[in-house]
Amino acid sequence: MPLHHAVLALLTRRPNHGYELKARFEEAVGPQWGGLNIGHLYQILERLVRDGYVSRSQVTQTDRPDKNLYTLTEAGEAELRSWATTAWVRVGGFRDELFLKLLGAVALGPQALATLIESQRQTYLSELAGLAQQRRAHADEPLVAVLIDAAIAHTKADLGLLDSAAQHLGPLATAQSAQAPERSASRARGDADEAPWGRAG
């Protein structure tokens, strides 16, 4: 529950209401994470209240509707400490669409593979240029800067992956291309065998 724990972390300083938490989250992590949907945030807060990690109180306002104020409980602080001081372990594998695109390009042959790799390379280089601009713009915001540095490192690693893909998948794409005439001939024979039935219909 990473977002749940991020909300607990934001509440360690002081109680907040929902829109304050949304603004503080987006300010803390910067543009790389993306915005936090307010509806999703309220779902998170409901669950945290239900689990006893956060308490809710109502604040009366004279000129506006009353608002809910959320406060971190002792149980919530203990949960945050347990989560924040243990290592993160990847459990979902590497489900990157690029790997599926590589599968498709290899099936189509070496030209398709080369086209994909070059297109992806230019995309990554463009991303790196944009990240460098963001890094300069957020140099005085430590947490945001760390997140941007991570994005830069990941993108550089992805660039290296393209070289590995070209080296290892090139021969496979060539072999697939060599088999293409045989598959086409097989399909043609199949069409010819089925043709009389088609005419009979």
Side-chain angles (χ1 to χ4, degrees):
M1 302 189 297
L3 284 178
H4 295 66
H5 291 96
V7 171
L8 294 178
L10 292 172
L11 289 173
T12 57
R13 290 177 57 190
R14 64 178 185 273
N16 276 132
H17 62 76
Y19 279 95
E20 287 174 336
L21 285 169
K22 172 179 163 61
R24 289 183 60 208
F25 175 86
E26 292 172 354
E27 179 183 3
V29 301
Q32 274 305 301
W33 187 279
L36 180 59
N37 180 276
I38 190 65
H40 185 209
L41 174 58
Y42 279 119
Q43 290 178 352
I44 290 172
L45 288 166
E46 284 294 324
R47 180 169 179 179
L48 292 174
V49 169
R50 183 196 68 196
D51 292 344
Y53 297 147
V54 169
S55 63
R56 176 172 48 210
S57 58
Q58 198 167 68
V59 177
T60 302
Q61 301 185 109
T62 57
D63 56 339
R64 285 176 291 179
D66 295 348
K67 66 180 180 181
N68 289 318
L69 197 64
Y70 298 92
T71 303
L72 185 68
T73 65
E74 288 187 9
E77 184 173 353
E79 172 64 21
L80 173 62
R81 187 173 302 278
S82 174
W83 172 80
T85 56
T86 55
W88 172 68
V89 179
R90 190 187 306 276
V91 294
F94 292 89
R95 294 190 178 185
D96 191 318
E97 187 178 345
L98 174 61
F99 296 110
L100 300 182
K101 285 182 173 287
L102 287 169
L103 173 69
V106 166
L108 294 172
Q111 185 59 51
L113 179 62
T115 298
L116 169 63
I117 288 175
E118 182 55 29
S119 174
Q120 194 66 51
R121 189 185 310 279
Q122 294 306 315
T123 297
Y124 285 150
L125 290 172
S126 178
E127 287 180 4
L128 280 174
L131 287 167
Q133 289 181 343
Q134 288 186 13
R135 184 64 176 81
R136 289 191 293 271
H138 296 278
D140 58 345
E141 301 171 71
L143 185 59
V144 178
V146 167
L147 186 56
I148 295 173
D149 284 344
I152 291 172
H154 277 286
T155 306
K156 287 181 176 178
D158 288 337
L159 271 169
L161 171 67
L162 294 179
D163 294 332
S164 176
Q167 176 185 351
H168 294 291
L169 299 180
L172 181 59
T174 300
Q176 292 275 31
S177 181
Q179 294 172 3
E182 181 180 334
R183 289 196 297 270
S184 297
S186 176
R187 282 196 298 269
R189 287 194 299 272
D191 291 344
D193 291 342
E194 292 176 7
W197 295 101
R199 286 195 298 271

